[in-house]
Amino acid sequence: MTGRQEAATTPAPTEALTPAWPNRAAWGTATKLRAWQQAAMTQYFADLPRDFLAVATPGAGKTTFALSVAAELLGRRMVDRVTIVAPTEHLKLQWAEAAARAGIPIDPTYSAGQGKTSGEFLGVAVTYAGVAVNPLAMRIRTERFKTLVILDEVHHAGDALSWGDGIREAFEPAARRLALTGTPFRSDANPIPFVTYAPGGDGIPRSVADYTYGYAEALRDHVVRPVLFMAYSGQMTWRTRAGDEIAAHLGEPLTKDLTSQALRTALDPQGSWIPSVLQAADKRLSEVRRHVPDAGALVIATDQDSARSYAKTLRSITGEPATVVLSDEKAASKKIQKFAESDSRWMVAVRMVSEGVDVPRLAVGVYATTTSTPLFFAQAVGRFVRARTRGETASVFLPSVPMLLGFASELEVARDHVLGKKVQDEDDIFAAEDALMAQANQSESASDQEALGPWEALGSEARFDRVLFDGGEFGHAGEVHVGSEEEMDFLGIPGLLDPDQMRDLLQQRQAERAQKQRQQKASGPAAETVAEVSTHEQLAILRRELNGLVAAWHHRTGQAHGVTHNRLRKECGGPAAAVATADQLRARIDAIRDWAARRSG
């Protein structure tokens, strides 16, 4: 069947669907458009641009927005066909199913070399890699029809130079192109096709979005869940290839290599750290399921062997099997779909946490992977933030590694793609992610971990460290044993709380803990000064003092904790409080006390 024959036998768009906008979302995708979707639609159809970039936080509803645009364009006969480009095969199926509910039949089995598809379809779904294989064939199809191209998670067009070139060649003739993304753009210098760049204040080109809807706005609108980050530290012991035995506390200041080895020791299935954290996460899941009966949990593993071991541990903890999803399994997509529709407790996955993997009931996560880039972290957290009913909360358990704590503290920071940005510091959050993303998206065998350096785990233990929420920290800075009542103060937080209620409850429990400490010190030996304790304890004391002052400032001014922490960082410099030095923390403590004195005066 030729393209012309396909056009002749395909139902007219108005026969296949009813234009949805402005009254409601595309048929079957939602009961009505959310406020941001309505605003973005209004802007789109006011300008009717050929290229449009929408940046919206994971879980905000980019699919509904894109299909509503497609339905309206088809209904107005501005386009005849739709081509959807997604990062993975699994997402092709998800898009096809969502489009079918919207009345837009999409073929997810189409390949560029196929040249034709059934006359029943109004479009096709392909992957970025598939387009790169044969961009000319896709270009020919695009030229035959007035085509809307939806580029899902468009930053993947920069994953490889050939991908970007292929996307550009294939879809340059498209009538309209709608680009979507929900995570921070890459930090390399590969320009993303069909994205506009403009010089920033420093003269470096940055991507320019036509419409942006960030996590902070979505949280305010109750579109996404608030996220509690449960950080766990502990003592790690391992042996290097030279035979040296090293012991270190997870989260304390270490070199890059030692931090990596300490993290790998914590995640070793044979140690004590990961079983303790999995047990704590399961307790948290049980508390959440008291209010959200079908809530599920996901462990994000580094490789296949670890994933299987974690699943065995979870079975011994819960008494029921965990779903294990490996990307090279043909049934991976079906396993995810089956888990999404069930009320099973746990899923363990490698790679399959890519953007858009949609399991709305996921409410608890364990970040048990050595991949630590801002892009991958944002993708992973995005699996838990989708809200179904008001008040649902998400809890993500993670190792107390400075880089991860920094990402958690800056969850609400919006980022653009920066072309040619020079990396001044190897720990820069914007350092190019190519190697680690390639590892996350291509390698799953345990042997691949040897590339990170010779190492042998000897032992590990877990300690509850702290909770990060809304830019603030709450907890006991590594002082609490796993399974203690003090840990349960945080694991037992109700599963249905609005952000304000969550903040108030955390502050209350933090205050109660501080009062107990004061009483214990008053009845015991003289309190130690900051200068008399170890570096780890010193940082913990300073962080608690800073968080107490920020909480007091909130009660006095109503200013959110995260906003206050960001103001202090701007004024005093340095990274997030979770990874700041003692001098940086003291500077912020002095600054906020100065604010209070000036306000009183």
Side-chain angles (χ1 to χ4, degrees):
M1 182 185 295
T2 66
R4 295 185 185 279
Q5 290 172 328
E6 181 182 331
T9 59
T10 302
T14 50
E15 297 172 0
L17 55 91
T18 300
W21 181 76
N23 295 320
R24 58 179 175 78
W27 285 98
T29 58
T31 55
K32 61 181 180 179
L33 288 171
R34 289 168 171 161
W36 83 265
Q37 295 165 336
Q38 176 73 53
M41 289 277 288
T42 300
Q43 180 176 328
Y44 183 91
F45 285 101
D47 302 334
L48 284 174
R50 187 180 182 197
D51 288 296
F52 190 90
L53 171 61
V55 178
T57 189
K62 293 185 295 295
T63 301
T64 295
F65 164 69
L67 291 175
S68 296
V69 170
E72 184 70 11
L73 290 174
L74 287 165
R76 295 188 186 188
R77 295 185 179 272
M78 291 181 171
V79 298
D80 301 322
R81 293 292 185 276
V82 178
T83 296
I84 299 168
V85 190
T88 66
E89 293 290 330
H90 178 73
L91 291 179
K92 281 171 43 179
L93 297 174
Q94 279 193 185
W95 271 98
E97 291 168 359
R101 293 192 297 270
I104 307 174
I106 295 293
D107 182 4
T109 64
Y110 178 85
S111 62
Q114 186 175 327
K116 60 183 179 180
T117 189
S118 168
E120 299 292 328
F121 296 110
L122 279 172
V124 299
V126 294
T127 64
Y128 287 98
V131 173
V133 169
N134 196 343
L136 181 59
M138 290 302 304
R139 183 184 181 96
I140 292 171
R141 177 180 176 85
T142 303
E143 288 175 335
R144 282 178 174 166
F145 310 103
K146 289 188 295 183
T147 303
L148 165 67
V149 179
I150 297 174
L151 298 162
D152 183 28
E153 304 299 350
V154 69
H155 55 273
H156 281 291
D159 277 0
L161 190 60
S162 62
W163 287 21
D165 292 342
I167 293 296
R168 194 174 285 106
E169 179 182 354
F171 302 122
E172 191 279 329
R176 300 192 184 276
R177 293 175 291 253
L178 175 58
L180 310 170
T181 187
T183 53
F185 279 126
R186 305 173 62 83
S187 300
D188 55 24
N190 291 340
I192 300 169
F194 313 123
V195 168
T196 300
Y197 291 85
D202 53 6
I204 299 175
R206 286 175 167 78
S207 60
V208 179
D210 296 285
Y211 193 89
T212 300
Y213 186 66
Y215 177 80
E217 291 83 3
L219 188 60
R220 178 198 62 208
D221 295 341
H222 304 285
V223 170
V224 295
R225 298 166 176 158
V227 181
L228 284 173
F229 290 99
M230 306 280 192
Y232 280 73
S233 58
Q235 194 71 12
M236 307 293 136
T237 308
W238 67 93
R239 181 181 291 115
T240 66
R241 181 174 60 180
D244 296 330
E245 188 172 314
I246 298 177
H249 198 83
L250 189 67
E252 70 180 356
L254 298 170
T255 66
K256 186 176 180 180
D257 288 343
L258 290 179
T259 296
S260 173
Q261 291 169 359
L263 175 59
R264 291 161 65 196
T265 302
L267 300 182
D268 177 33
Q270 306 307 316
S272 298
W273 191 92
I274 193 70
S276 297
V277 172
L278 290 177
Q279 188 162 24
D282 189 67
K283 289 179 182 177
R284 177 68 187 143
L285 178 62
S286 294
E287 181 60 40
V288 173
R289 284 170 73 102
R290 289 178 54 195
H291 306 89
V292 186
D294 69 338
L298 168 68
V299 181
I300 302 164
T302 301
D303 55 64
Q304 294 184 2
D305 290 345
S306 295
R308 295 188 182 100
S309 295
Y310 296 164
K312 289 181 181 178
T313 301
L314 284 168
R315 180 158 195 166
S316 67
I317 292 171
T318 66
E320 64 179 66
T323 299
V324 180
V325 180
L326 308 174
S327 60
D328 57 3
E329 292 180 332
K330 291 184 179 179
S333 293
K334 291 182 179 179
K335 280 188 173 183
I336 292 175
Q337 186 63 30
K338 183 178 178 180
F339 181 83
E341 294 171 353
S342 73
D343 64 352
S344 299
R345 294 176 71 88
W346 282 95
M347 176 166 67
V348 185
V350 183
R351 274 184 61 186
M352 301 301 287
V353 296
S354 164
E355 308 97 325
V357 172
D358 187 13
V359 185
R361 70 185 189 88
L362 285 177
V364 175
V366 178
Y367 194 90
T369 173
T370 55
T371 306
S372 54
T373 68
L375 177 59
F376 190 84
F377 187 84
Q379 290 176 4
V381 174
R383 300 317 99 217
F384 306 97
V385 300
R386 183 183 299 274
R388 297 179 299 173
T389 60
R390 184 164 179 166
E392 287 185 341
T393 61
S395 303
V396 177
F397 289 70
L398 74 166
S400 286
V401 174
M403 185 175 291
L404 297 180
L405 296 178
F407 296 161
S409 297
E410 298 180 345
L411 180 64
E412 299 181 13
V413 176
R415 303 185 181 95
D416 296 318
H417 184 205
V418 182
L419 283 184
K421 182 180 185 299
K422 294 182 179 179
V423 178
Q424 305 295 339
D425 180 350
E426 66 178 6
D427 292 325
D428 184 354
I429 189 174
F430 293 105
E433 303 100 352
D434 285 346
L436 283 172
M437 280 307 297
Q439 173 191 323
N441 291 330
Q442 295 174 12
S443 299
E444 293 186 12
S445 65
S447 61
D448 290 321
Q449 290 300 297
E450 294 304 316
L452 296 178
W455 149 95
E456 178 190 357
L458 298 178
S460 61
E461 66 160 356
R463 291 286 186 95
F464 174 66
D465 191 353
R466 70 194 85 153
V467 170
L468 289 84
F469 180 75
D470 189 32
E473 296 181 16
F474 308 86
H476 319 301
E479 300 170 0
V480 175
H481 290 280
V482 171
S484 67
E485 292 183 7
E486 292 171 319
E487 182 195 31
M488 283 305 301
D489 284 345
F490 293 92
L491 296 182
I493 291 173
L496 284 176
L497 286 177
D498 286 339
D500 289 342
Q501 294 174 322
M502 179 69 72
R503 195 177 302 111
D504 291 343
L505 181 58
L506 287 169
Q507 289 168 358
Q508 177 187 340
R509 297 197 172 173
Q510 184 79 356
E512 290 171 353
R513 167 66 176 168
Q515 184 177 0
K516 287 180 182 178
Q517 287 181 325
R518 286 194 296 269
Q519 292 172 347
Q520 290 170 356
K521 289 179 179 179
S523 60
E528 295 174 309
T529 65
V530 171
E532 292 171 338
V533 297
S534 67
T535 300
H536 174 71
E537 292 170 320
Q538 180 184 139
L539 290 172
I541 291 169
L542 291 171
R543 276 195 298 263
R544 286 198 297 271
E545 183 176 359
L546 176 61
N547 287 330
L549 291 169
V550 169
W553 185 255
H554 165 74
H555 287 297
R556 192 170 184 180
T557 65
Q559 188 173 78
H561 290 62
V563 174
T564 304
H565 278 287
N566 287 334
R567 280 187 60 195
L568 287 167
R569 286 184 61 190
K570 270 188 181 177
E571 181 171 320
C572 305
V579 292
T581 66
D583 287 342
Q584 290 165 340
L585 292 171
R586 289 190 187 98
R588 294 176 200 181
I589 289 169
D590 291 341
I592 195 169
R593 282 177 172 161
D594 186 50
W595 294 354
R598 289 203 304 265
R599 187 178 180 89
S600 298

